[in-house]
Structure formats: structure tokens, C-alpha cells
Amino acid sequence: MDTAPMRVVIADDEPLARERLRALLAGIGGVEVVAEAGDGHAALHACAEHHPDLVLLDISMPGIDGLEAARHLAAFEPRPAVVFCTAFDAHALSAFEAQAIDYLVKPVRQERLAAALERVRTFAAGLAQAAGEDGSDGQLRTHLCARLRGSLRLIPIEDIHYLQADEKYVVVHHARGEDLIEESLKSLESEFGERFVRIHRNCLVARHEIIELRRIGDGHTQAVLRHGDQPLEVSRRCVPQLRDTLRHL
């Protein structure tokens, strides 16, 4: 039987709350706190670095909140379990839609935390088949998550110029360069269709980035971007929708 301690990341923007959780965990035993974080961004970095079994995650945090952080964590491999610890019970439904294992209301009691840890052990022992399901509470993400070697980069949606499929990856062209993400162009179009428009079967462009459609000599059309180094090819079937998009910008 595996007797290794459960590796835990504590994420809460209140230092006293983190200290209390650490003390409760010490009283329960069988766990190792590998990192603490004060916001969702730092929590994701900690998880990419330490590969925890469990994240104790506050919901109301600055920047990336706990619900969005949980949606990103659902795509991690290995995927950590998530238990929300929050002062409010109004987010319970959204928390479980984000595939949380448990939902603890502050002040967290030691017996409830111990029960949550048991649920996490059960999850780790055989319920990971839910890892491929797409948890969402209906809200759009504010960032995309690019996995790097031992770390990650969070790319604000508002900074993305265009998204281009490249074999099994999507290249994100954004204000600070390029990054690869392991998501499909189809799923990104479904989630962010209000912000991005398809110009080709392999390319989505931020609507506000397109400043001109240009016909070239061989009858093809190119999209000229506000921040692009060079125009992008537009497929014939996408031209009518693009012209309509430009008229309504």
C-alpha cells in the first residue's frame, strides 16, 4: 500500500487562512504542504512546479480567481484534486461544475477537512476517469494556459492577436510573442466565438485585429492585421462572414 504523504498546495490570498489550513493539516497528518500561493496565478505556477495531489483553493482571490484556476488545473497532467475552501457558500454549484472534489466553508473544521482528504484519496485511487471531461461554470476564461518545461505561462485573452493550428498544438500569437497550447481550435472557437472569427480552417483572429481584407492577384484574399508582421490567408468560404464582421466593427 502506498504510504507516501499527500502533496498539497494551499492557495488563499489571506495569510492567516493559509496558516490555519497548514495547522489543521498538521493535526490530521499524512500530508506534505509543498507550496503556498496568494492568488490563482501563483497557484497554477506552484502546481506546474510541484505536481501536487491536492490543491486547497480559495475562490475569491485577486486576478485569476479560484474557479478559473480550477478549470485550468483540470487540464493538467497529472491532474491534481481540488477542494475549495471559501467564506461563502453561494459558489457551491459552480465549484462542483469545475470538478471540485469537495467544498468547505470557512472557518474550516478539522473533521470536515479530514473527510475531504479521504474523498481525495478515493479520487486518486480510481476516479480520475473524469479528467477528460470539460468542467465549466459557464463563464469564459480570462487567460489561456501554455505549459512550459516545469512551468507555465498565462496569456490574457485580450492580448491574443490570432490562434493558428499546428499539428496537435495551437500557436497563440500574442502581444509578447508566441506560445503553444494543447487545445483544439474548434474548442477555442466554441468558447471565444464572440471575440475571435475564423478566417481559415486553421486560424482564428481577434475581430478587432482585422483592419483590411486585401485581394491579391491570384484571386485569393488576405487579412491585414493591426499587429501582424504579414497578412494572413483567408479561405474563400470565410470571406463573406469576414466582410460582414468588418462592416459591424
Side-chain angles (χ1 to χ4, degrees), residues 55-75:
V55 187
L56 294 175
L57 193 59
D58 188 20
I59 288 181
S60 180
M61 294 187 291
I64 294 177
D65 67 15
L67 291 172
E68 181 172 354
R71 292 197 295 274
H72 287 300
L73 290 171

Side-chain angles (χ1 to χ4, degrees), residues 89-200:
D89 60 8
H91 297 293
L93 178 59
S94 294
F96 288 112
E97 286 176 345
Q99 299 186 40
I101 300 301
D102 210 338
Y103 184 94
L104 308 181
V105 178
K106 299 176 182 176
V108 176
R109 303 192 316 274
Q110 191 169 57
E111 59 267 28
R112 274 294 285 121
L113 181 58
L117 294 182
E118 282 306 307
R119 294 190 68 180
V120 171
R121 294 186 201 282
T122 301
F123 165 86
L127 300 183
Q129 66 265 27
E133 297 176 5
D134 180 24
S136 172
D137 63 358
Q139 296 183 7
L140 297 182
R141 289 176 290 169
T142 60
H143 294 68
L144 294 183
C145 183
R147 298 295 301 276
L148 307 173
R149 292 179 181 176
S151 185
L152 53 82
R153 177 175 291 125
L154 292 167
I155 309 161
I157 297 297
E158 63 190 21
D159 288 352
I160 298 173
H161 301 154
Y162 63 99
L163 302 153
Q164 200 159 34
D166 182 14
E167 296 182 355
K168 67 174 183 176
Y169 299 100
V170 167
V171 183
V172 183
H173 299 261
H174 55 87
R176 291 176 304 284
E178 301 176 4
D179 284 290
L180 296 178
I181 60 172
E182 296 185 18
E183 300 192 44
S184 73
L185 210 60
K186 182 178 180 180
S187 67
L188 291 167
E189 182 180 25
S190 175
E191 183 174 358
F192 300 107
E194 290 297 312
R195 186 173 188 90
F196 297 95
V197 62
R198 186 175 288 272
I199 70 166
H200 196 278

Side-chain angles (χ1 to χ4, degrees), residues 5-11 18 21-26 30-37 50 52 54 56:
M6 183 185 299
R7 294 166 57 80
V8 179
V9 166
I10 299 173
R18 298 199 301 270
L21 283 173
R22 184 182 279 272
L24 291 175
L25 290 169
V31 301
E32 176 189 0
V33 178
V34 295
E36 294 185 13
H50 296 285
L54 165 66
L56 294 175

